[in-house]
Amino acid sequence: METQLASQLAQLIRGSRQASLATLHNGSPSVSMVLIAPSADLCTYYMHISRLAQHTRDIDADPRVGIMFMEKDTGLADPQQLARISLLGRAFELSTGDTDYAHACNLYLERYPASTTYFTLPDFRLFRIKIDSGRFVAGFAKAFNLNLEDLKQASQT
């Protein structure tokens, strides 16, 4: 992937404070909004979600998830030209004993400092999404399949 596109991909992910989360709900797709914190290499994502939420129960039943980041629609351009990134992976709950738990908490709270209170609530848990593949649409006739190396390359821009 050329450097300009890699940079656009990284900026879109890092500049998005929320993402669409797709889970499987009784075998059917279900989409919700979550707050996401990306790792430095853009291959892992963290979310802090409630056990009471349907998407959390969906993940418990089947860890396969999709996340989507999308360029903000300002109303000035053709919305089909907006950049978007869809990533596929698996989500797993982190326990306080996991080696990356403290790092993940710090990363998440650095991005969302107002979430500190949620870490004191007993129903909220931290999840790690490990990405397997993805798709980046940078505009008309600019669509690319993504693998982990593409994400790592983009993270360097």
Side-chain angles (χ1 to χ4, degrees):
M1 180 181 312
E2 65 183 58
T3 305
Q4 182 180 359
L5 288 170
S7 178
Q8 182 184 6
L9 184 150
Q11 288 175 2
L12 182 55
I13 291 173
R14 291 181 178 138
S16 297
R17 290 177 26 96
Q18 73 277 340
S20 298
L21 172 72
T23 58
L24 290 170
H25 179 70
N26 298 327
S28 296
S30 180
V31 180
S32 55
M33 188 279 290
V34 293
L35 305 183
I36 294 279
S39 64
D41 68 0
L42 303 179
C43 293
T44 305
Y45 296 79
Y46 300 98
M47 59 185 177
H48 193 238
I49 54 180
S50 171
R51 283 244 155 257
L52 304 176
Q54 184 61 59
H55 51 245
T56 308
R57 293 190 300 267
D58 293 344
I59 290 167
D60 286 342
D62 188 328
R64 293 176 295 169
V65 298
I67 53 176
M68 182 178 199
F69 301 95
M70 191 164 175
E71 181 181 354
K72 183 178 180 182
D73 183 2
T74 62
L76 300 176
D78 176 357
Q80 292 182 346
Q81 299 295 321
L82 298 175
R84 57 234 184 235
I85 302 160
S86 299
L87 300 171
L88 302 175
R90 294 176 185 272
F92 300 97
E93 185 176 338
L94 284 167
S95 70
T96 54
D98 288 336
T99 56
D100 62 338
Y101 184 84
H103 171 73
C105 283
N106 291 335
L107 190 69
Y108 191 89
L109 289 171
E110 181 179 297
R111 191 166 175 94
Y112 306 106
S115 293
T116 302
T117 302
Y118 295 112
F119 277 83
T120 66
L121 301 176
D123 61 302
F124 274 79
R125 301 288 185 266
L126 193 61
F127 281 75
R128 173 195 312 117
I129 301 172
K130 294 295 281 182
I131 300 303
D132 297 319
S133 63
R135 183 97 171 136
F136 175 37
V137 178
F140 183 75
K142 294 183 192 172
F144 308 91
N145 290 327
L146 299 172
N147 58 39
L148 294 180
E149 287 306 313
D150 296 321
L151 294 170
K152 289 177 185 175
Q153 175 191 351
S155 75
Q156 301 300 313
T157 61

PDB file of all heavy atoms in Angstrom, residues 114-127:
ATOM      1  N   ALA A 114     -12.943  10.050  30.636  1.00  0.00           N
ATOM      2  CA  ALA A 114     -14.243  10.109  31.321  1.00  0.00           C
ATOM      3  C   ALA A 114     -14.765   8.718  31.671  1.00  0.00           C
ATOM      4  O   ALA A 114     -15.739   8.587  32.412  1.00  0.00           O
ATOM      5  CB  ALA A 114     -15.258  10.854  30.459  1.00  0.00           C
ATOM      6  N   SER A 115     -14.114   7.669  31.154  1.00  0.00           N
ATOM      7  CA  SER A 115     -14.545   6.292  31.420  1.00  0.00           C
ATOM      8  C   SER A 115     -14.013   5.730  32.730  1.00  0.00           C
ATOM      9  O   SER A 115     -14.315   4.589  33.072  1.00  0.00           O
ATOM     10  CB  SER A 115     -14.120   5.380  30.267  1.00  0.00           C
ATOM     11  OG  SER A 115     -14.819   5.717  29.101  1.00  0.00           O
ATOM     12  N   THR A 116     -13.239   6.497  33.457  1.00  0.00           N
ATOM     13  CA  THR A 116     -12.641   6.009  34.703  1.00  0.00           C
ATOM     14  C   THR A 116     -13.691   5.415  35.634  1.00  0.00           C
ATOM     15  O   THR A 116     -13.483   4.351  36.221  1.00  0.00           O
ATOM     16  CB  THR A 116     -11.879   7.148  35.409  1.00  0.00           C
ATOM     17  OG1 THR A 116     -10.880   7.641  34.514  1.00  0.00           O
ATOM     18  CG2 THR A 116     -11.217   6.667  36.685  1.00  0.00           C
ATOM     19  N   THR A 117     -14.821   6.079  35.762  1.00  0.00           N
ATOM     20  CA  THR A 117     -15.885   5.598  36.642  1.00  0.00           C
ATOM     21  C   THR A 117     -16.384   4.219  36.231  1.00  0.00           C
ATOM     22  O   THR A 117     -16.689   3.388  37.076  1.00  0.00           O
ATOM     23  CB  THR A 117     -17.062   6.588  36.640  1.00  0.00           C
ATOM     24  OG1 THR A 117     -16.566   7.856  37.066  1.00  0.00           O
ATOM     25  CG2 THR A 117     -18.171   6.141  37.570  1.00  0.00           C
ATOM     26  N   TYR A 118     -16.434   3.963  34.924  1.00  0.00           N
ATOM     27  CA  TYR A 118     -16.942   2.668  34.448  1.00  0.00           C
ATOM     28  C   TYR A 118     -16.057   1.504  34.893  1.00  0.00           C
ATOM     29  O   TYR A 118     -16.519   0.384  35.024  1.00  0.00           O
ATOM     30  CB  TYR A 118     -17.086   2.666  32.924  1.00  0.00           C
ATOM     31  CG  TYR A 118     -18.134   3.645  32.442  1.00  0.00           C
ATOM     32  CD1 TYR A 118     -17.768   4.775  31.720  1.00  0.00           C
ATOM     33  CD2 TYR A 118     -19.481   3.448  32.719  1.00  0.00           C
ATOM     34  CE1 TYR A 118     -18.717   5.677  31.276  1.00  0.00           C
ATOM     35  CE2 TYR A 118     -20.439   4.349  32.282  1.00  0.00           C
ATOM     36  CZ  TYR A 118     -20.046   5.460  31.562  1.00  0.00           C
ATOM     37  OH  TYR A 118     -20.996   6.351  31.133  1.00  0.00           O
ATOM     38  N   PHE A 119     -14.783   1.785  35.131  1.00  0.00           N
ATOM     39  CA  PHE A 119     -13.874   0.730  35.595  1.00  0.00           C
ATOM     40  C   PHE A 119     -14.163   0.333  37.041  1.00  0.00           C
ATOM     41  O   PHE A 119     -13.672  -0.675  37.518  1.00  0.00           O
ATOM     42  CB  PHE A 119     -12.413   1.151  35.417  1.00  0.00           C
ATOM     43  CG  PHE A 119     -11.896   0.912  34.030  1.00  0.00           C
ATOM     44  CD1 PHE A 119     -12.128   1.826  33.022  1.00  0.00           C
ATOM     45  CD2 PHE A 119     -11.186  -0.247  33.722  1.00  0.00           C
ATOM     46  CE1 PHE A 119     -11.665   1.602  31.729  1.00  0.00           C
ATOM     47  CE2 PHE A 119     -10.722  -0.479  32.436  1.00  0.00           C
ATOM     48  CZ  PHE A 119     -10.968   0.447  31.439  1.00  0.00           C
ATOM     49  N   THR A 120     -14.978   1.124  37.744  1.00  0.00           N
ATOM     50  CA  THR A 120     -15.349   0.770  39.116  1.00  0.00           C
ATOM     51  C   THR A 120     -16.663  -0.007  39.169  1.00  0.00           C
ATOM     52  O   THR A 120     -17.012  -0.533  40.224  1.00  0.00           O
ATOM     53  CB  THR A 120     -15.487   2.040  39.989  1.00  0.00           C
ATOM     54  OG1 THR A 120     -16.592   2.813  39.510  1.00  0.00           O
ATOM     55  CG2 THR A 120     -14.209   2.872  39.965  1.00  0.00           C
ATOM     56  N   LEU A 121     -17.368  -0.073  38.056  1.00  0.00           N
ATOM     57  CA  LEU A 121     -18.656  -0.770  38.021  1.00  0.00           C
ATOM     58  C   LEU A 121     -18.432  -2.262  37.796  1.00  0.00           C
ATOM     59  O   LEU A 121     -17.634  -2.655  36.939  1.00  0.00           O
ATOM     60  CB  LEU A 121     -19.549  -0.192  36.927  1.00  0.00           C
ATOM     61  CG  LEU A 121     -19.868   1.301  37.065  1.00  0.00           C
ATOM     62  CD1 LEU A 121     -20.671   1.793  35.876  1.00  0.00           C
ATOM     63  CD2 LEU A 121     -20.609   1.577  38.368  1.00  0.00           C
ATOM     64  N   PRO A 122     -19.124  -3.105  38.546  1.00  0.00           N
ATOM     65  CA  PRO A 122     -18.849  -4.547  38.486  1.00  0.00           C
ATOM     66  C   PRO A 122     -19.233  -5.237  37.178  1.00  0.00           C
ATOM     67  O   PRO A 122     -18.710  -6.307  36.882  1.00  0.00           O
ATOM     68  CB  PRO A 122     -19.658  -5.109  39.652  1.00  0.00           C
ATOM     69  CG  PRO A 122     -20.729  -4.109  39.905  1.00  0.00           C
ATOM     70  CD  PRO A 122     -20.144  -2.766  39.531  1.00  0.00           C
ATOM     71  N   ASP A 123     -20.121  -4.642  36.400  1.00  0.00           N
ATOM     72  CA  ASP A 123     -20.558  -5.315  35.173  1.00  0.00           C
ATOM     73  C   ASP A 123     -19.710  -4.986  33.953  1.00  0.00           C
ATOM     74  O   ASP A 123     -19.849  -5.617  32.908  1.00  0.00           O
ATOM     75  CB  ASP A 123     -22.034  -5.008  34.874  1.00  0.00           C
ATOM     76  CG  ASP A 123     -22.280  -3.534  34.664  1.00  0.00           C
ATOM     77  OD1 ASP A 123     -21.980  -2.748  35.580  1.00  0.00           O
ATOM     78  OD2 ASP A 123     -22.770  -3.159  33.577  1.00  0.00           O
ATOM     79  N   PHE A 124     -18.784  -4.029  34.042  1.00  0.00           N
ATOM     80  CA  PHE A 124     -17.961  -3.655  32.895  1.00  0.00           C
ATOM     81  C   PHE A 124     -16.697  -4.495  32.835  1.00  0.00           C
ATOM     82  O   PHE A 124     -16.062  -4.762  33.855  1.00  0.00           O
ATOM     83  CB  PHE A 124     -17.609  -2.168  32.936  1.00  0.00           C
ATOM     84  CG  PHE A 124     -18.669  -1.311  32.313  1.00  0.00           C
ATOM     85  CD1 PHE A 124     -19.820  -0.994  33.017  1.00  0.00           C
ATOM     86  CD2 PHE A 124     -18.524  -0.831  31.023  1.00  0.00           C
ATOM     87  CE1 PHE A 124     -20.810  -0.211  32.449  1.00  0.00           C
ATOM     88  CE2 PHE A 124     -19.510  -0.046  30.443  1.00  0.00           C
ATOM     89  CZ  PHE A 124     -20.644   0.261  31.154  1.00  0.00           C
ATOM     90  N   ARG A 125     -16.356  -4.896  31.614  1.00  0.00           N
ATOM     91  CA  ARG A 125     -15.169  -5.728  31.369  1.00  0.00           C
ATOM     92  C   ARG A 125     -14.388  -5.163  30.191  1.00  0.00           C
ATOM     93  O   ARG A 125     -14.953  -4.560  29.283  1.00  0.00           O
ATOM     94  CB  ARG A 125     -15.574  -7.171  31.037  1.00  0.00           C
ATOM     95  CG  ARG A 125     -16.370  -7.875  32.108  1.00  0.00           C
ATOM     96  CD  ARG A 125     -15.490  -8.217  33.311  1.00  0.00           C
ATOM     97  NE  ARG A 125     -16.215  -8.996  34.294  1.00  0.00           N
ATOM     98  CZ  ARG A 125     -16.852  -8.507  35.335  1.00  0.00           C
ATOM     99  NH1 ARG A 125     -16.892  -7.210  35.526  1.00  0.00           N
ATOM    100  NH2 ARG A 125     -17.464  -9.289  36.197  1.00  0.00           N
ATOM    101  N   LEU A 126     -13.103  -5.426  30.211  1.00  0.00           N
ATOM    102  CA  LEU A 126     -12.215  -5.010  29.140  1.00  0.00           C
ATOM    103  C   LEU A 126     -12.041  -6.176  28.168  1.00  0.00           C
ATOM    104  O   LEU A 126     -11.785  -7.307  28.591  1.00  0.00           O
ATOM    105  CB  LEU A 126     -10.868  -4.586  29.733  1.00  0.00           C
ATOM    106  CG  LEU A 126      -9.909  -3.850  28.833  1.00  0.00           C
ATOM    107  CD1 LEU A 126     -10.499  -2.531  28.341  1.00  0.00           C
ATOM    108  CD2 LEU A 126      -8.614  -3.575  29.590  1.00  0.00           C
ATOM    109  N   PHE A 127     -12.193  -5.895  26.873  1.00  0.00           N
ATOM    110  CA  PHE A 127     -12.053  -6.914  25.840  1.00  0.00           C
ATOM    111  C   PHE A 127     -10.944  -6.539  24.864  1.00  0.00           C
ATOM    112  O   PHE A 127     -10.735  -5.361  24.575  1.00  0.00           O
ATOM    113  CB  PHE A 127     -13.360  -7.088  25.064  1.00  0.00           C
ATOM    114  CG  PHE A 127     -14.384  -7.909  25.783  1.00  0.00           C
ATOM    115  CD1 PHE A 127     -15.094  -7.386  26.852  1.00  0.00           C
ATOM    116  CD2 PHE A 127     -14.640  -9.213  25.398  1.00  0.00           C
ATOM    117  CE1 PHE A 127     -16.035  -8.141  27.518  1.00  0.00           C
ATOM    118  CE2 PHE A 127     -15.585  -9.989  26.065  1.00  0.00           C
ATOM    119  CZ  PHE A 127     -16.283  -9.443  27.124  1.00  0.00           C
TER     120      PHE A 127
END
